[in-house]
Amino acid sequence: MAETFTPWDAADYIENPEDARLYLEAAIDEDPGDGSLIRAALGSIARSRNISALAQDAGLNRGNLYKALSDEGNPSFSTVLKVTRVLGLKLRVEVAS
């Protein structure tokens, strides 16, 4: 019998705000400098929640939010801040060691 596989999606494993925080923190630490991992992590976190409600709470258009957090997206910093705030997360800066 042939094995069947389903695509892996991080959104399926983000169950609470702490999971979201740890995932976003890891993405920030490992990002190559182009924001691609941060954008992907925010997209996964958003999909783990109700993205329509998230967009509404952030004052954003749902379609535009999907596009901004997609692989080809390029969200503005204000969009990143709005999304993280609605998700109950804060971005912080620390001295690099």
Side-chain angles (χ1 to χ4, degrees), residues 18-94:
E18 183 65 8
D19 291 345
R21 182 190 71 80
L22 291 170
Y23 185 49
L24 184 57
E25 189 174 273
I28 290 169
D29 288 344
E30 298 297 324
D31 190 82
D34 63 359
S36 60
L37 291 180
I38 298 166
R39 183 181 62 247
L42 282 174
S44 295
I45 296 166
R47 285 193 320 279
S48 76
R49 306 251 316 249
N50 179 336
I51 199 162
S52 295
L54 176 72
Q56 184 176 358
D57 291 347
L60 302 168
N61 176 284
R62 182 186 59 84
N64 291 344
L65 182 58
Y66 268 115
K67 183 177 178 182
L69 299 178
S70 72
D71 290 342
E72 295 80 32
N74 188 18
S76 67
F77 192 63
S78 65
T79 297
V80 170
L81 289 177
K82 287 176 185 177
V83 169
T84 55
R85 285 186 183 136
V86 170
L87 290 169
L89 302 171
K90 291 182 181 181
L91 296 181
R92 298 195 184 266
V93 178
E94 63 183 51

